[in-house]
Structure formats: structure tokens, C-alpha cells
Amino acid sequence: MGQSAIAAEQEIKPESAVHRRRNGRWKKHLWGYLFLVPALIIFVLFLWVPIIKGFVYSFYHVDFVKGNEFVGFDNYAKVFHDGDVLISIKNTFYYMLLCLAIGFWVPIAVSIAISELRKFQGFVRIAAYLPYVVPGVVLYGLWRWLYDPIGPINGVLTTLGFDPVSFISDSRWSMVSLVVMETWQQFGSAMLIYLAGVLAIPKDWYEAAEIDGAGVWARIRHITLPSMKGLIVLMLILQLIGTSQAYQAQLAMLDGGPNKATLTYALLIVKYAFTSLDYGTATALGVLMFIVLGVLGILQFRLSKEDY
């Protein structure tokens, strides 16, 4: 009996030691967990609760006066039979393509150019970032004036012998005009991210390349761009996600016109919800967008997992 009791005590001691260590670790980090509670509550209330309610409301006809009525998949059927949905999807893809062709490479080029400067680098950084802090009301008023048929841009075109361009009222130019405006405003923030990536590249690589006789373009092609590959892919996915949700400029500048040429998918959701007051169909559209953006988010995670 004595030996069995000693053996049992020896078996219990390691377990109790592990238990004490776990309790000590829990008590040590208790205050840290408590400080996380308010952030988690806000995160759940303002993010996941609306997402779950959105999934639920997509199966209802929402009426805040008479009460909600379950309609099953009628909202989704309405979405797939609405011709404006197809138009908005086409416009959204066109907008995303324009943003990639016009706006995606601008911050990359500016960040590399700034990194090559030997003087006034700080001033150029501030100057490039300033458009980003322009308020939306001022931005849209400014560019409406610039795009006016008798505005400065058409004044320059007329002076050069070209015909005036209807940047806003012509459906061929309206989306391009919005992309140019947003590129001018937004590239400063992305430029700072790319600039941080450029400055993180070891200077020894550039010095060795200069000793070997490599010029500016050779250094950019063989050192800068390959070193920023992971960051560029990450920013590409983020831009695709961001531009797929664009509606603010389209709403404020043209309200989806002319002739629905700037009616994006997110703007259609806003119109269903706040113009037609059809919240059920709006949430159905939002659920479909959530699924697509969720796939893009997973793709972003898988692409950036190995690099970061």
C-alpha cells in the first residue's frame, strides 16, 4: 500500500504542477483578456450582427411598419431578373479594369521615383499625399468645375485645337473621368505603403548594382520590382476588393448616370435600400457581394501567406 501511494503521489504531482502553471498563465494574462472584451463586443455588435441580420433579411420583405414577411428566395429571384443588376455588374468590372489600368501603377511609379530622389524627398512625399486629405464635398465640387464644358481642362483642349469633351454628360467618358479624379485623390495613401516597401529593400543591393554599372531602370527592373512582388500582389487584391464596393463618387457626381453608365453594383444596393426602400432585395444583393468578396479575401490570404 505504501509503495502504491507513493507512486500515485508521484503521478499526481506533475499533473498538479501543470495545472498550477496553467492557472498562473491565465491569471497573468487575465487583465489583457479583459481589456480585449470591449473591442470584441464592438466587433461583434457592429460587424457580425449586421452580417447575420443581412443573411436573415435577404429572405424577408422588410417593412418596419407592418412587420417583416418571409418570402423565401423571392428577393434573389428578383435580383436575377432585374436588368439593372447585369448593367451594374458590367459597369463595376469596367470600373475595376479602369482603376487597374489607370490608377494601380501610379502609386508604384511615384513611390519608386521619390525613392530615387536625392533632394526634397520629404516635400514631394507631403505634396503627393495632400490630395488624399481633401474632403469629399470639396473634391467633387473641384472636379465638376474642372470637367465643365467651359472649365479649365476643356479650355486647354480648345487652345490646343481640340474639340471640347463632355467628361460628365457623355457616357463614353463619364467612368473614365471618375477614375482619373479618384486616382488623383487616392494614390497618395497607397504611395506611402509602396514607399515603405521600397525603403525596406537593403541599400547594399543598390550599391552593388551601381558598382556593376547598373542604371536606374536596371535597378528598378531587377531589384525594386522583384523585391516588392508580394506587396504588389497584396495591394492588387485589396484594390480589387475596394473598387468592387465603389459607389460614393458615382452617386455624388452623377447618381449612376448618364444613361446608367456609372451605375455600379454597390450603388444599385444603395438605390434599392434608400431610394426604393426595398431592404430585402438590397440585402440579397449584399449577400451575393459578401460571398464574392469572401472568396477574394481567402485568395488574398492564401497569396500573402507565404510572403508575410
Side-chain angles (χ1 to χ4, degrees), residues 194 223-235 307-308:
Y194 284 119
I223 298 178
T224 305
L225 292 178
S227 300
M228 296 173 60
K229 179 182 177 181
L231 179 59
I232 291 174
V233 172
L234 175 63
M235 294 295 289
D307 296 318
Y308 301 97

Side-chain angles (χ1 to χ4, degrees), residues 34-169:
L34 290 177
F35 278 113
L36 287 175
V37 170
L40 291 175
I41 293 174
I42 293 174
F43 180 78
V44 171
L45 286 179
F46 292 97
L47 183 65
W48 282 106
V49 170
I51 289 175
I52 294 172
K53 283 188 174 181
F55 275 95
V56 174
Y57 286 162
S58 67
F59 298 101
Y60 283 81
H61 172 69
V62 180
D63 192 326
F64 295 111
V65 178
K66 299 179 181 179
N68 301 336
E69 178 186 357
F70 181 77
V71 294
F73 288 94
D74 288 355
N75 291 325
Y76 291 95
K78 183 177 180 180
V79 166
F80 290 114
H81 287 88
D82 187 353
D84 287 346
V85 174
L86 182 59
I87 294 174
S88 67
I89 292 174
K90 290 181 179 178
N91 290 338
T92 301
F93 278 115
Y94 179 52
Y95 174 77
M96 295 168 67
L97 179 63
L98 287 176
C99 288
L100 289 177
I102 299 174
F104 181 71
W105 300 104
V106 172
I108 299 176
V110 173
S111 64
I112 294 174
I114 291 176
S115 68
E116 293 289 337
L117 291 177
R118 296 294 183 263
K119 296 181 180 180
F120 305 110
Q121 190 176 115
F123 171 77
V124 177
R125 288 187 198 180
I126 296 174
Y129 185 75
L130 279 179
Y132 184 72
V133 301
V134 175
V137 175
V138 177
L139 175 74
Y140 302 137
L142 171 65
W143 281 88
R144 273 187 174 275
W145 171 66
L146 292 173
Y147 285 146
D148 193 89
I150 56 174
I153 297 178
N154 275 314
V156 173
L157 292 176
T158 304
T159 303
L160 296 175
F162 297 98
D163 294 330
V165 178
S166 301
F167 290 103
I168 294 179
S169 59

Side-chain angles (χ1 to χ4, degrees), residues 239-260:
Q239 177 162 320
L240 291 175
I241 294 173
T243 53
S244 66
Q245 304 175 68
Y247 76 92
Q248 182 175 328
Q250 288 80 359
L251 175 63
M253 292 284 287
L254 299 167
D255 195 27
N259 298 323
K260 300 180 181 179

